[in-house]
Amino acid sequence: MKPEDQIELAKSEYPDILVEEKKSNEHPLAELKNVRGRVVMRMAPSPSGPLHLGHTRMCILNDEYVKRYGGDLILRIEDTNPNNIYPPAYEMIQEDNRWLGVNFTKFIIQSERIPLYYEKAEELIMMGKAYMCTCKVEDFKKDLMNSQACPHRDIRPEEHLQLFRDVVSGKDRSKSPVLIIKTDLFHPNPAVRDWIAFRVIETPHPHTGKKYRFYPLMNFSVAVDDHELGLTHVIRGSDHINNTERQKYIFKYFDWPLPEYFHYGMIHIGDAILKTSLMRKGIESGKYVGWDDVQLATVRSLAKRGYRKETFRKYWVDSGLKDVNSDFSWDIFNSINRLLIDKSSDRYFFVPDPVEIKIEGSPEATSRIPLYPNEESRGYRTYKVEKNPVISVPSGDIMGLKDGDIIRLKDLYNIKKDGDHFIFAGMENTGERKKIIQWVGKDAQEFSILKPDGTTDRGLIESLLAGKRGIFQMERYAFVNVIGDHTGLYLHR
RNA sequence: GCUCCGAUGGUGUAGUCCGGUCAAGCAUAUCGGCCUUUCGAGCCGACGACCCGGGUCCGAAUCCCGGUCGGAGCACCA
């Protein structure tokens, strides 16, 4: 019975079963606390490479809230470690955000703000809240674990200030000094006790060259900037929970109002390489063709394969702001994307791992296959098939067949296995066939599909795909982004 | 070891703040049926969860205590 008939029957015979309404699957994000008027939020990636799937959660969540409440979304490049910078990333990160539809209203580069950090550091030194230290790393750590003050901690601020300025100017090059923020040596969490705010790095900075040599660490520059830029709400991963505690000391010393902090849980993304350093190594060694290699879960790779920006947004909005760790679900991600692309994807036949079969006793025939099922207006792919042809089918589909088994070549005719060949078994699409499979004629083209696991499916594509580009569904195979006459990128089933 | 965070079906989540309407909703996955000349889409149905133990209460997924398990951090990375 057809669905419409079922509904008709239900209406007339069993009206009571239809009262149940389908509940909405709307799943808006929870409200943020303490929103008064416009919000100011930020994304703070380091420029070690382009954005990857993991970053997109930060981008989408911040963007969603700024769009909801109105306000500013700051893209702040955290490049205070010259040893960890991939220069093209400054531009790539902006491109990736634009592609995602993330509308940042301000663009800030931290390495351009070093004088501000110096100024705040000097103020803290004179307040007695920061000190210069030249201890050996091991000694410093040991002291912290034992709640012991290092010998430099209680020297007069003026001396610290002088040393700080000498290190900044390069006059003092004798040691490896650091600037440390005083917190509480007896803080129960050792991670929060006196922490390092500046260290010397002599590597030339890709953005500022040799202008500076005393660089702030993330916790210092973040705290200063979050205040200076007027952040009202901070959303970031739960790996920053301890950093938040550390940064709060800076706010306390300056008596700055605290933003609202939210930490979402860590997402474990299986089957994906997310470490920028690994990607970069692979690109340099030739293992990957570039940052958009299908094996990488970068935004540009996923975009190239055919994921839509709306998929990212819906996935992360649905995931919400929960602070529990969870597994990323490719199933759900793909399912969202499939719904978005299905209607606009014409159908074609791709025969992976093809084998040629000889058909006997068949008449000349014409196959008219819809470009999209049940939508005649979109047109057909039409092929003339000579009598007793040789055609190619997926080896996997005929492997287990026994003599006498009937299969149907989709939109063509039935064939019956008989020893090493097949015999024509009627035009009609009867119920006897074991399955309906895709096929291609001898005008088919070689076609390779690159898959994210690094493998390639080789086979034949029907000739009418020639010259076409974009996302198509290869029937019974998967959705594929066709990027060349002989190449496609695997998207998902 | 220390600090902090959390625990709802296979997976992702809703509900938890302000206990009853939750014998727990949605999505995805799986399985069955319908539809379909795709293993896609659509429709119908099934399956399947409140970590454990105490306590408070007429009543606990929701509050309290203890345990277990999982995670994050304890870098001169961000």
Side-chain angles (χ1 to χ4, degrees), chain A residues 45-106:
Chain A
S46 68
S48 52
L51 297 182
H52 59 63
L53 182 52
H55 290 117
T56 62
R57 185 178 198 183
M58 163 185 79
C59 299
I60 298 291
L61 286 176
N62 280 291
D63 187 56
E64 276 291 315
Y65 280 116
V66 172
K67 281 181 173 147
R68 177 186 300 186
Y69 297 119
D72 276 320
L73 179 60
I74 298 164
L75 174 56
R76 188 174 71 206
I77 305 290
E78 310 227 317
D79 59 344
T80 56
N81 179 2
N83 290 322
N84 185 31
I85 295 174
Y86 176 67
Y90 291 88
E91 191 51 46
M92 294 170 105
I93 289 169
Q94 297 179 73
E95 288 166 7
D96 290 341
N97 271 298
R98 289 191 200 104
W99 183 85
L100 281 166
V102 169
N103 177 37
F104 55 92
T105 55
K106 279 188 189 167

Side-chain angles (χ1 to χ4, degrees), chain A residues 171-351:
Chain A
K171 190 172 156 195
D172 184 299
R173 290 178 179 273
S174 56
K175 295 160 189 151
S176 185
V178 292
L179 181 75
I180 294 171
I181 301 299
K182 280 187 196 173
T183 64
D184 175 2
L185 289 177
F186 293 91
H187 196 288
N189 183 355
V192 180
R193 294 174 196 162
D194 287 23
W195 49 268
I196 295 169
F198 282 81
R199 82 301 208 193
V200 171
I201 300 179
E202 300 283 7
T203 310
H205 192 291
H207 193 63
T208 57
K210 292 185 174 176
K211 198 166 174 185
Y212 307 107
R213 59 188 294 273
F214 205 36
Y215 287 94
L217 256 8
M218 172 263 190
N219 277 305
F220 189 81
S221 50
V222 163
V224 170
D225 275 344
D226 280 353
H227 173 259
E228 291 291 325
L229 299 170
L231 272 287
T232 60
H233 296 76
V234 174
I235 295 177
R236 53 181 173 174
S238 63
D239 50 330
H240 286 291
I241 286 177
N242 284 324
N243 289 327
T244 301
E245 289 312 304
R246 296 201 266 217
Q247 291 160 26
K248 280 180 179 171
Y249 280 89
I250 304 287
F251 281 82
K252 193 170 90 183
Y253 295 150
F254 284 114
D255 199 23
W256 291 336
L258 224 45
E260 289 288 338
Y261 291 94
F262 301 86
H263 299 96
Y264 54 79
M266 305 302 283
I267 293 275
H268 171 251
I269 302 180
D271 299 328
I273 296 157
L274 294 175
K275 282 206 74 160
T276 316
S277 53
L278 278 181
M279 296 190 204
R280 206 170 153 180
K281 246 171 84 181
I283 291 168
E284 279 160 11
S285 74
K287 187 178 176 196
Y288 310 126
V289 298
W291 291 101
D292 61 355
D293 189 285
V294 287
Q295 298 173 72
L296 304 176
T298 56
V299 168
R300 44 198 63 211
S301 165
L302 296 169
K304 186 175 159 193
R305 280 171 58 200
Y307 286 101
R308 299 270 296 263
K309 63 174 194 254
E310 295 86 351
T311 303
F312 292 82
R313 192 165 292 265
K314 178 163 170 50
Y315 187 88
W316 293 125
V317 168
D318 281 356
S319 295
L321 214 43
K322 270 178 62 151
D323 50 3
V324 294
N325 304 332
S326 56
D327 292 331
F328 183 82
S329 171
W330 284 105
D331 271 348
I332 292 175
F333 194 70
N334 289 341
S335 162
I336 295 168
N337 200 63
R338 189 183 301 123
L339 243 37
L340 291 167
I341 60 167
D342 182 88
K343 277 281 181 288
S344 57
S345 303
D346 284 344
R347 270 51 174 166
Y348 283 92
F349 285 164
F350 167 70
V351 175

Side-chain angles (χ1 to χ4, degrees), chain A residues 110 113-121 198 216 220-221 224-225:
Chain A
Q110 284 196 316
R113 300 163 65 80
I114 306 282
L116 169 68
Y117 310 136
Y118 286 163
E119 182 190 321
K120 294 301 167 191
F198 282 81
F220 189 81
S221 50
V224 170
D225 275 344

Side-chain angles (χ1 to χ4, degrees), chain A residues 395-429:
Chain A
S395 63
D397 280 315
I398 58 165
M399 212 137 60
L401 292 180
K402 297 189 288 285
D403 277 359
D405 283 347
I406 294 175
I407 55 175
R408 181 167 181 82
L409 302 175
K410 187 168 184 289
D411 295 293
L412 185 58
Y413 45 58
N414 305 322
I415 55 175
K416 180 162 74 179
K417 183 169 166 62
D418 180 32
D420 60 354
H421 62 284
F422 285 80
I423 299 171
F424 175 73
M427 300 299 297
E428 291 305 308
N429 178 29

